[in-house]
Amino acid sequence: MIPVLLLLAQAADPIAATVATMSPERKAAQLQSTAPADPAAGLPAYDWWSEGLHGLARDGYATVFPQAIGLAATWDVDVMNRVGTIVSTEARAKFNARPVAANRRIYEGLTIWSPNINIFRDPRWGRGQETYGEDPYLTGSLGVAFIHGLQGPDPSHPRVVATPKHFAVHSGPEAGRDSFDVDPSPQDLEATYLPAFRRAIIEGKATSLMCAYNSIHGVPACAASWLMNDRLRHDWGFTGFTVSDCDAVSNISVYHHYRKDSAGAAAAAIRGGTDVNCGSAYGALPQALAKGLVTQAEVDTALTRALRARRALGIAFGGTSPYGTIPASEVATPAHHAAALDAARKSIVLLQNNANRLPLKAGAKIAVIGANADDLGVLQGNYHGTAVAPVTPLDGLRTRFGAANVSYAQGSLLAETAAIVVPETALRADGKPGLRATYTGGSGAPTVRQDRRIDLDVNRAPPAPGLPATGYTARWTGEFVPPAPGRYHLILDQTQCWKDCRVHDRARLTLGGKTLHDGDLPKGRVDLVVDSDGTPQPIDILLDHRSEDDSFRLLWLPPADPLLAQAVAAAKQADVAVVVAGLSPDLEGEALSVSVPGFVGGDRTDIALPAPQLRLLAALKATGKPIVLVLTSGSAVSVDPAAADAILANWYAGEAGGTALADVLSGTVNPAGRLPVTLYHATTDLPAFTDYGMKERTYRYFTGKPLWGFGHGMSYTSFRYAAPRGPASVAAGSDLRVEASVTNTGARDGEEVVQAYLVPPAAKPAGGNTPVLQRQLVGFQRVAVARGKSARVAFTLDPRAMSIVDHDGRRHVVPGAYRLYVGGGQPGDGAGQWFAFTVTGADTELPK
């Protein structure tokens, strides 16, 4: 007989009442990322997996902001909050377009698996583009702002659920991510790998968190109770739900061999503190229960946490949401596009500007050169939505300076044997660059237009108005115009969907009247060899789009010399060459199937600009024309400063990237971005990629001279700092407030990123592998300062900002003499002033 008090408790808590009635199989089903409908529980189908790294991703049209590393380069918490707010608003708008009880599939939910706040400890990591850089303080500050934007002001009724990831100590290599074991020192764990997560939970109030693939000290992260229960829940007070990285629970047995089978892995994860499993491994929970490997109470606790999140979102158990009326029209709005443009402008970092080569003069004849100058993927990065009207660098410069003043040449491949999009210069229809495109499907008339290149992002989004998202045909006709005789590879490239790829598209390519391919695209890429005599040939491409695959592109591998000759000719006829070079998401990213010189599996083996682009820059340099080098990448790229007059870091700049670049090059916008990572001279500056020790990594511990340091960024104007003011001493464990004044001494209005770096009392290393802290960022503010005007900034240093971490992981504030540098970069990089103060009293230990 059920006690009366229990019945009353269940009536007051519908989640507890529901969980009490569910079988182990039903519980296990709801704890997997693709949760089926459970009518008896009143639960429609729901997929926990949605993405919003820098815009709502993989669910059709959405605003695409700069990739996360570009957002980090803004050093602007207000930008981060605004981006998070727009991401969650668009997620709600799409969600609200259907009834609350509608079944939701992958990428259609309100549980957003962002931000990625892992530390970008090594520039070779392909997923570093998803992070906010190498510094724990910058990462934590931007992560908190983004989480606040995602969830809104009331975490108990969030707009969406934010999920910081990947907890913890995770940053490559990609090839071994499913099985590698990390053995961080207590000091590195406390000083580098955990602080941003702590802030995301305590300050950001994130209501979810994702555990990582790797093991730590021999225990898979998703089964590490000391991490997921003791540190996260006990020390930091986390009350939300956790989720595994995809298939990380399966990896516990399959790759880590920490448990012998699926039941053991599922039990280890539940007991270790992982509530929801991305994947199907929790299908073995009934077996684990039967074997006594996990208790019913432990499973119920995990399920209750997960279902409480659905109620808080207003999508189950009678929960309501103040965001349930956001209309479908709040997706990709003009205001959201303006925010993407603002973020892109603020993300651009001017690394070098010899002889004030920039800004460019109005009316300048510009040769736009480079494989990244006109490529959609380079705008969008990874984990992206579909932009409504993306602007490439070539588009932006033509609009800003006039098409008649801008010539274009692709110039080179990005890397040896790495295919790139066939450019408009190699395609022609009706006497114009590109191909004639005809899109047919749905109930409307066919759409006919000129496509300068075949470079479509069709992830649940139609390529033209009036078309369905899937179930249409696209046909491109015109001529293939090779730049010279030789052997060409034409490649039909389709990025496969991430899940349930049961349906594949078909394509046909005919060249010169000969059919080279006619059939399915099941492998995503069809490589066709063409031996050309250099004359134009009719080309006809038909795509029968039936899947939800992410993209469709026509790529090529052309001979190198003709591309180089085109670029040199363009530069000779121009006043300046703007070379848009760097990397691409085809080369760096998550677990990619790529192996070309300098790249493997999505990671890099060499941080230098790849050889084909070095040859291109050398040839352009020989023309004697000024060179502006624009680096588009998700990570630090090493280049010789002598290769160009001006150099900018442009990242993967989002849908408005081309407009933002043109604004900065023209001087309409004064650049003020700052590097969120160190740019090293060479790969030899780095420890082994697999070494997670922080010695000789990042600006805090690197003892060499960088190419450009963390926090570096130039402006078209100049700034002067007055001496900071504050108390001469502070008691250990108390806050310290310091004020500083910055004056714009140049001829242009501009923004300055004021940075504060603390140098604690000198500490002696306890051992040869213990890194010695050089300095640490403890504050920053991005401020607008009109020419001739001043702005006052203030920094409040709390005890954690003033603390150091010993080799044993003990965080404490030590008495002694401290120095604080306030300036536009690190000490020695730009203008700035020192401030000295003393911490008095006893050594004060801080909580974990």
Side-chain angles (χ1 to χ4, degrees), residues 178-180 247 250-258:
D178 294 306
S179 60
F180 72 77
D247 295 323
S250 294
N251 293 351
I252 290 173
S253 60
V254 175
Y255 290 108
H256 292 290
H257 307 296
Y258 185 72

Side-chain angles (χ1 to χ4, degrees), residues 168-396:
V169 200
H170 183 84
S171 55
E174 283 296 292
R177 69 180 189 172
D178 294 306
S179 60
F180 72 77
D181 180 48
V182 185
D183 192 28
S185 70
Q187 182 187 45
D188 288 342
L189 192 66
E190 176 62 30
T192 297
Y193 293 116
L194 296 184
F197 285 100
R198 185 183 192 275
R199 292 186 65 187
I201 299 306
I202 294 177
E203 297 177 39
K205 308 296 182 185
T207 49
S208 180
L209 177 138
M210 178 182 286
C211 54
Y213 284 119
N214 53 280
S215 288
I216 306 173
H217 302 314
V219 181
C222 294
S225 184
W226 69 267
L227 180 72
M228 301 289 287
N229 290 321
D230 298 344
R231 183 62 61 93
L232 177 63
R233 295 191 181 276
H234 180 267
D235 294 341
W236 299 347
F238 179 66
T239 59
F241 75 97
T242 57
V243 61
S244 77
D245 205 342
C246 291
D247 295 323
V249 174
S250 294
N251 293 351
I252 290 173
S253 60
V254 175
Y255 290 108
H256 292 290
H257 307 296
Y258 185 72
R259 292 292 184 267
K260 66 179 181 180
D261 56 21
S262 296
I270 286 284
R271 302 197 73 183
T274 301
D275 300 321
V276 176
N277 159 226
C278 179
S280 58
Y282 275 3
L285 278 176
Q287 293 175 275
L289 284 164
K291 293 179 178 180
L293 301 177
V294 65
T295 68
Q296 192 69 63
E298 289 169 322
V299 174
D300 288 355
T301 295
L303 182 56
T304 298
R305 290 171 181 159
L307 295 181
R308 282 177 179 165
R310 291 182 67 171
R311 180 172 63 182
L313 287 164
I315 59 175
F317 299 102
T320 60
S321 172
Y323 308 108
T325 58
I326 294 175
S329 59
E330 285 297 306
V331 174
T333 66
H336 293 178
H337 177 77
L341 175 58
D342 179 64
R345 287 167 169 166
K346 290 185 174 182
S347 72
I348 295 173
V349 183
L350 180 60
L351 299 172
Q352 173 176 293
N353 192 20
N354 294 343
N356 292 322
R357 181 63 64 186
L358 294 177
L360 300 177
K361 293 181 173 61
K365 299 291 185 181
I366 302 171
V368 179
I369 296 168
N372 284 349
D374 199 31
D375 185 292
L376 179 61
V378 172
L379 288 180
Q380 295 188 147
N382 70 353
Y383 282 102
H384 60 82
T386 300
V388 173
V391 182
T392 67
L394 180 60
D395 292 329

Side-chain angles (χ1 to χ4, degrees), residues 26 115 219 226 290 318 325 356 389 427 437 503 512 547 601 765 789 808:
R26 289 170 61 200
V219 181
W226 69 267
T325 58
N356 292 322
L427 304 170
V503 179
S547 73
K789 301 296 183 179
D808 60 359

